[in-house]
Amino acid sequence: MDATIINNNHSSLEAMDSTLQLTLHSYNMAHPKRGIAVVINNNRDRKGSEKDVKALQAVLSHLQFDVRLLSDKTTVEIRHALKEVSKEDHTNNDCLAIIAMAHGYNDRIKFDDDYLHIDELWTNFVGNKCPSLIGKPKLVFIQSCRGGKLDYGASIATADARPGLEEPVDVKIPMYADLLVMYSSFEHHSSIRCRNEGSWFIQSFCQVLGANIAKTELQALLCHVSYLVSIRSDQTIDPEGKVVKQIPMVTSMLTKAFYFVPK
């Protein structure tokens, strides 16, 4: 249902000057520290995930994150750890990153004792829950199945495979502003993990973020991650012998451009 409000702003799109120049703003990445990266991994019955952890630790450390690994923890332990991170002072940090890897089904990820709802990964960090992260990017990446459907692809014919204010003001921002969530697969679909090489999504993610990316905006980088996943040529097949494909999904509430500026 749509909400009805009284609009006190008398300007309209029709009245806007077509010659108005668009000004793009970027997040402040000049803080002393990059920020904390929480890596959550359930390794049990997930052969190959140890390669994902190793790759993530390397690339996140290269990007100057403070990497915190939570391996084979219970949901109680994970909730507690995330709560403790939210209590820390992030004033000197650029951003926060959370990467979760486990079995799952749509809006839940499974650990040994119970399921964790996906939104529990970020609920402690949005809005006023974590004041020192207000206005800063919260980046969440989830390697997990979102259902049992398999993507068999489609055949195509193709030729090629508020600045300038001198005084501080009290402003309000949307509750979920500055949050980005990237899923390894489309909703209700499976996510592919190779026993010998790790998961398609995490390995592609680390390949992209490990490159020379300082001048490339984050969402362009993530678009390339999706591209790499989509063209995987592993010829993975299901029990019936069909080739399986995969495409990640991004939900972004970021309000500015994000660059991994070197420190």
Side-chain angles (χ1 to χ4, degrees):
M1 185 176 75
D2 292 334
T4 302
I5 62 172
I6 297 175
N7 187 358
N8 293 319
N9 185 347
H10 297 293
S11 63
S12 65
L13 290 176
E14 291 76 16
M16 290 179 65
D17 185 350
S18 62
T19 64
L20 183 67
Q21 295 298 310
L22 180 64
T23 301
L24 298 177
H25 302 294
S26 297
Y27 285 106
N28 177 13
M29 301 299 285
H31 297 90
K33 300 178 181 179
R34 180 73 72 208
I36 297 170
V38 181
V39 178
I40 303 169
N41 181 52
N42 186 0
N43 189 50
R44 298 188 179 101
D45 193 30
R46 295 186 64 252
K47 187 67 175 176
S49 68
E50 69 281 356
K51 298 185 182 300
D52 288 343
V53 170
K54 184 177 180 180
L56 281 169
Q57 287 179 311
V59 75
L60 292 171
S61 296
H62 173 71
L63 292 173
Q64 298 170 289
F65 278 100
D66 172 10
V67 183
R68 313 275 182 86
L69 177 60
L70 302 176
S71 186
D72 294 330
K73 301 296 184 182
T74 65
T75 55
V76 173
E77 292 171 324
I78 292 169
R79 289 187 182 104
H80 175 74
L82 292 174
K83 185 70 173 179
E84 290 302 304
V85 172
S86 73
K87 293 178 181 178
E88 295 187 40
D89 185 1
H90 301 262
T91 301
N92 291 326
N93 298 348
D94 291 334
C95 61
L96 171 78
I98 299 173
I99 301 92
M101 301 177 288
H103 288 301
Y105 192 86
N106 215 25
D107 62 346
R108 299 182 299 169
I109 46 181
K110 188 180 187 307
F111 296 92
D112 288 345
D113 63 325
D114 201 356
Y115 282 95
L116 192 76
H117 281 267
I118 286 176
D119 61 2
E120 293 185 71
L121 295 172
W122 61 77
T123 189
N124 292 311
F125 304 99
V126 296
N128 293 324
K129 299 289 185 66
C130 185
S132 57
L133 277 176
I134 291 177
K136 297 181 179 182
K138 278 76 69 172
L139 313 174
V140 182
F141 303 95
I142 302 166
Q143 164 58 40
S144 172
C145 288
R146 304 183 68 194
K149 291 184 178 180
L150 294 175
D151 184 345
Y152 295 114
S155 299
I156 59 173
T158 178
D160 50 46
R162 255 161 89 96
L165 294 176
E166 295 182 359
E167 297 294 332
V169 295
D170 182 21
V171 299
K172 291 188 180 294
I173 63 172
M175 179 74 171
Y176 294 98
D178 310 303
L179 172 68
L180 179 144
V181 183
M182 186 172 191
Y183 303 88
S184 58
S185 61
F186 189 67
E187 58 185 350
H188 306 303
H189 283 72
S190 294
S191 206
I192 308 300
R193 171 177 36 83
C194 299
R195 291 177 174 269
N196 297 326
E197 300 178 8
S199 65
W200 288 6
F201 173 63
I202 294 296
Q203 293 299 318
S204 298
F205 176 83
C206 292
Q207 179 181 340
V208 172
L209 266 64
N212 183 11
I213 60 173
K215 295 182 179 180
T216 306
E217 206 277 327
L218 176 64
Q219 296 195 63
L221 295 172
L222 299 183
C223 183
H224 193 59
V225 172
S226 293
Y227 169 74
L228 291 179
V229 174
S230 72
I231 64 168
R232 286 293 297 247
S233 58
D234 303 58
Q235 295 298 302
T236 297
I237 58 175
D238 73 349
E240 297 180 359
K242 297 179 180 179
V243 175
V244 175
K245 303 297 288 183
Q246 180 181 330
I247 187 68
M249 177 177 172
V250 180
T251 300
S252 175
M253 284 73 75
L254 297 186
T255 59
K256 302 175 185 177
F258 181 108
Y259 295 88
F260 280 110
V261 179
K263 297 198 174 297

